[in-house]
Amino acid sequence: MVRWANIFHILIFSLLLAGCGDNPAEQEWQAYHQQLANDLGHADIERSKPVNIGDFPERSERLIEVAETRDSMLNVYALRECQITSLIAARNNQLGRVAPPSQQWLYERTLWQRLSTCWNSEVPDQLSDEDRTRLRQLTETKTAQLPSVSWNAIFDSSEWVKSFSRASQPFVTDEEAAIANQLDAINYLQQMTDHQFDLNWQQNSSTLENHLKTLQERPLTAEILRALLLASQRLNEANTLLKQSLTQHSEEPSHCLRDGTTPPLAPLTTLANRWLTAVNRLIDAQQVEKPRSIRRYQARWLSLNDPQAPLQQYQRARFKHETLRARFPACANN
């Protein structure tokens, strides 16, 4: 009984520590608030929990409907010189039908490449009028559908959706190196999008899957957005104390502030700009009319310029904080 009681107490103590420990980014802000309060001869700053990011749009709201193309295998076989029969057969088997969005993307692009190459070769001259018309219509259909397929492949992938997960912690700026591989993954998706109609550009299945695996490792978009929201909240709370101190002393500060205690503000700005620029570039590169839910989410949470988006909220709070701090003299013992 004593042994189980000890284990119970250890578990309770661990849970308490977990609740008090918070995220490293939060700990950094708490330490800064305490230091600022000490410098100003004030009680610790009262902190409120920052808001969470919004829910990523539901699957039905973010995907674009693509009509299924149906034809008999006999008609497909008539176009065998286009080298699409084995490709379509593989797509129609049991494994092909449950393939993840990324593999469906590769299939549709490969199919378009073969159809387009075939249509622009001598093969159509060797076909009957009916088969030539069928080839032309199939090529036009797949050409028109490919941008929507590309969009759905990205926005239906669990790896991409996870990047926006609300179940996340604020990003810690000393993890800057962590975004390098994630940026490589975003850039590869960008290449596939930019070159989707380039017959000479060959996609690579293993490369695509490895990059998607990298994106799945952490919800980086959500982490960065939450870091911006946390920083904005804590800066605004600090700004309130700084303004109160100036007001109490007739705008003439009677306290000094120690340098080097502010959490790194510039690195967060740089990282957020780099990541959000890459994410927005990938979304905007899609040659489709974006679903309304995605447009709203992009403007509210991902925008670099919208005043209500996290980045601009943070920029305003940071500028105001640096302006207020500049009105206080630096302590001589810095």
Side-chain angles (χ1 to χ4, degrees), residues 40-58:
L40 298 175
H42 195 278
D44 192 16
I45 299 173
E46 183 177 349
R47 285 179 291 276
S48 298
K49 186 177 181 180
V51 299
N52 199 349
I53 61 175
D55 284 320
F56 199 60
E58 293 292 333

Side-chain angles (χ1 to χ4, degrees), residues 81-323:
E81 293 299 325
C82 295
Q83 301 179 4
I84 62 172
T85 50
S86 59
L87 185 66
I88 293 176
R91 174 68 175 85
N92 287 336
N93 67 27
Q94 187 173 3
L95 290 178
R97 288 185 175 277
V98 296
S102 56
Q103 293 302 309
Q104 294 177 24
W105 189 10
L106 295 177
Y107 162 79
E108 290 288 344
R109 185 172 185 273
T110 301
L111 179 58
W112 170 81
Q113 284 178 309
R114 294 186 184 180
L115 286 170
S116 184
T117 299
C118 186
W119 178 251
N120 291 283
S121 68
E122 70 282 355
V123 171
D125 296 333
Q126 303 168 8
L127 299 174
S128 67
D129 290 344
E130 184 179 0
D131 288 335
R132 188 184 309 109
T133 299
R134 182 175 292 108
L135 174 59
R136 176 181 57 79
Q137 292 175 339
L138 185 57
T139 304
E140 290 175 350
T141 297
K142 290 304 175 181
T143 301
Q145 289 180 343
L146 188 56
S148 296
V149 169
S150 299
W151 172 275
N152 288 349
I154 295 174
F155 280 86
D156 198 23
S157 67
S158 60
E159 297 88 351
W160 178 252
V161 174
K162 183 178 179 180
S163 186
F164 303 89
S165 172
R166 302 180 81 212
S168 52
Q169 292 286 344
F171 186 79
V172 181
T173 52
D174 61 7
E175 296 181 308
E176 180 178 358
I179 79 165
N181 289 338
Q182 298 254 348
L183 280 172
D184 287 342
I186 289 287
N187 289 336
Y188 189 77
L189 295 179
Q190 182 77 47
Q191 288 180 51
M192 282 198 62
T193 300
D194 291 343
H195 294 281
Q196 61 185 315
F197 288 117
D198 183 353
L199 289 170
N200 295 319
W201 194 82
Q202 299 297 320
Q203 68 267 15
N204 184 280
S205 178
S206 61
T207 301
L208 174 60
E209 295 303 331
N210 286 336
H211 282 310
L212 289 173
K213 182 179 178 181
T214 297
L215 286 178
Q216 197 169 36
E217 290 174 356
R218 62 189 302 173
L220 187 58
T221 305
E223 289 181 12
I224 290 177
L225 293 178
R226 294 194 68 179
L228 292 171
L229 293 172
L230 173 65
S232 298
Q233 179 77 18
R234 299 295 174 251
L235 284 172
N236 286 328
E237 291 161 350
N239 292 344
T240 298
L241 179 59
L242 290 170
K243 286 188 290 185
Q244 288 176 352
S245 181
L246 288 170
T247 302
Q248 290 171 1
H249 299 92
S250 302
E251 302 295 324
E252 290 294 331
S254 61
H255 297 85
C256 63
L257 299 179
R258 274 170 278 189
D259 290 337
T261 58
T262 312
L265 303 180
L268 178 56
T269 303
T270 301
L271 288 171
N273 267 295
R274 287 180 64 196
W275 182 253
L276 292 177
T277 296
V279 170
N280 279 291
R281 186 173 62 240
L282 178 59
I283 295 175
D284 293 337
Q286 307 301 314
Q287 300 175 31
V288 297
E289 182 179 352
K290 291 178 286 187
R292 186 173 64 174
S293 63
I294 293 297
R295 295 199 305 269
R296 289 201 302 261
Y297 187 94
Q298 187 180 12
R300 175 63 182 86
W301 297 106
L302 307 178
S303 174
L304 278 70
N305 303 308
D306 191 289
Q308 300 307 312
L311 181 59
Q312 283 301 314
Q313 290 187 44
Y314 169 69
Q315 294 283 53
R316 288 195 303 274
R318 176 189 172 189
F319 176 77
K320 190 170 186 178
H321 188 70
E322 291 173 342
T323 300

